[in-house]
Amino acid sequence: MASTETTGPAGTVTPARTEPRTTGPTRSPRGAKRENRLSGHGWPALLFLAPFLGLYLLFIVGPAIYGLVMSFFHTSMVAPGLGEFAGFANYAEALSSSDFWAALWHTIWFTILTTPPLIVLALVFALLAERARRARWFFRLAFFLPYILPSAVVALIWIWMYTPELGLLSQAVTSLGFAEPDWLGDPDFAMVSLAITTVWWWTLGFNFVLYLAGLQEIPRELYEASAIDGAGPWQQIRLITVPLLARTTSLVVVLQVIASLKVFDQMYIMTQGGPNFATRSLLQYVFDIGFTDFRSGAAAAASTLFFVVVLAVSAFWLVMTRRQEPEL
């Protein structure tokens, strides 16, 4: 504590005001109040989150850890316990298996076929729905309805459409004078047919909603000012809408890539991985190893490798989004 003295009249010494000496940074009263408020709400927040955290640990984290442990053992569904310790033998078997790499390539090829149209069409339909002056709610509902259909229903609809000589697409192709392709029976057409089904099913789903939310965040004043400067609708989309939706687009891309990599339902229902395993995805490979061959340890190792692939995609998106954030 530092103090100073001053000399007053008649030689008297008057002590000056004593000021405390600070040894470190001080918190403002506002910051202290905010910290107290947050600390006071900590326990109630944890109580509200406890049911979700409990279920998440029980059904997500717990099985994931058990699956990782199981991948190092010769676990079988027909034998109790984890079985004999295998080390990295299951991983070596998966990495040296041509079936594993073929299934991984089929998954990547399906992702390449579906991701670009799902992103572009979602943006286009979001722009159309946002610019609708009347019955905007109806267009949003109509565009989103296919996404809520169960995968089994979508698969049955498109199996009927692809049925030779009876399906709608087959009749449309033959009516135009072209030879009718074997949509699901030809290895050259099967994956493309599944991609068409997925694009119809997923186009106006979650991507559509994300783009609608991003469009609503763009200030209307920017479009009004650009219109005064003579910018047309296409120039507004190219110079205003697309750049300001960059963060939304990066999120849509990574979510769509992950969703396409996890494809299973439509492939399993419509083609069962055929013809000649031409449409067997990596998740179906894991399913076949675990529930057909009853080799749970090998299936756990393959699923762990697939998790690494998805994790790499997520890490790449995280790095890209951090680079887009402005530096403070």
Side-chain angles (χ1 to χ4, degrees):
M1 181 177 296
S3 63
T4 58
E5 297 179 349
T6 59
T7 304
T12 59
V13 178
T14 304
R17 184 178 60 183
T18 302
E19 298 180 357
R21 177 181 300 174
T22 59
T23 58
T26 59
R27 290 178 298 177
S28 63
R30 181 181 300 177
K33 292 181 180 179
R34 182 181 180 183
E35 183 178 352
N36 293 333
R37 184 169 64 252
L38 292 177
S39 61
H41 290 177
W43 284 110
L46 289 178
L47 290 177
F48 278 108
L49 290 174
F52 168 77
L53 291 177
L55 294 175
Y56 187 80
L57 293 174
L58 181 62
F59 292 102
I60 302 297
V61 178
I65 296 176
Y66 183 77
L68 179 62
V69 174
M70 190 169 56
S71 66
F72 294 99
F73 291 85
H74 290 299
T75 308
S76 176
M77 295 188 65
V78 297
L82 290 174
E84 183 182 356
F85 181 73
F88 290 95
N90 291 327
Y91 292 93
E93 178 185 353
L95 294 175
S96 60
S97 173
S98 59
D99 294 335
F100 173 84
W101 291 108
L104 179 60
W105 165 244
H106 296 157
T107 306
I108 294 175
W109 177 234
F110 176 83
T111 303
I112 295 173
L113 289 175
T114 56
T115 299
L118 284 171
I119 295 172
V120 174
L121 291 177
L123 176 59
V124 170
F125 282 103
L127 289 172
L128 294 175
E130 183 66 19
R131 290 176 177 268
R133 298 183 179 273
R134 296 181 179 180
R136 182 180 299 180
W137 65 270
F138 172 77
F139 290 106
R140 292 182 178 181
L141 178 63
F143 289 160
F144 189 73
L145 278 179
Y147 183 70
I148 66 177
L149 292 176
S151 58
V153 175
V154 174
L156 291 176
I157 291 173
W158 282 87
I159 286 175
W160 172 76
M161 295 183 67
Y162 288 138
T163 302
E165 299 181 0
L166 297 176
L168 181 62
L169 289 179
S170 298
Q171 293 181 3
V173 170
T174 53
S175 64
L176 295 176
F178 297 99
E180 178 184 358
D182 191 357
W183 298 97
L184 299 177
D186 190 341
D188 296 331
F189 282 97
M191 187 64 75
V192 177
S193 302
L194 292 174
I196 293 174
T197 302
T198 305
V199 168
W200 176 85
W201 182 24
W202 286 354
T203 293
L204 302 176
F206 196 57
N207 300 345
F208 175 71
V209 174
L210 290 177
Y211 273 125
L212 277 179
L215 289 173
Q216 293 176 359
E217 294 296 326
I218 300 177
R220 299 295 97 185
E221 293 80 4
L222 296 178
Y223 294 104
E224 295 174 359
S226 63
I228 294 174
D229 293 336
W234 171 245
Q235 291 177 325
Q236 291 178 349
I237 294 175
R238 183 170 58 90
L239 300 177
I240 298 177
T241 305
V242 174
L244 292 181
L245 287 177
R247 294 290 301 274
T248 303
T249 301
S250 63
L251 176 62
V252 169
V253 168
V254 69
L255 292 179
Q256 185 56 59
V257 169
I258 293 175
S260 297
L261 288 174
K262 296 191 299 182
V263 61
F264 174 77
D265 297 357
Q266 55 268 45
M267 286 186 176
Y268 185 77
I269 298 175
M270 297 179 68
T271 63
Q272 292 79 43
N276 195 22
F277 300 106
T279 59
R280 184 166 71 164
S281 65
L282 189 56
L283 284 183
Q284 187 173 348
Y285 171 82
V286 174
F287 178 86
D288 292 339
I289 295 297
F291 294 95
T292 302
D293 298 342
F294 303 108
R295 301 176 59 217
S296 303
S303 62
T304 302
L305 294 174
F306 175 68
F307 171 74
V308 172
V309 175
V310 177
L311 187 63
V313 174
S314 303
F316 176 78
W317 172 78
L318 181 61
V319 172
M320 295 301 296
T321 52
R322 286 190 174 183
R323 288 183 178 180
Q324 294 177 0
E325 294 179 355
E327 296 182 0
L328 301 177

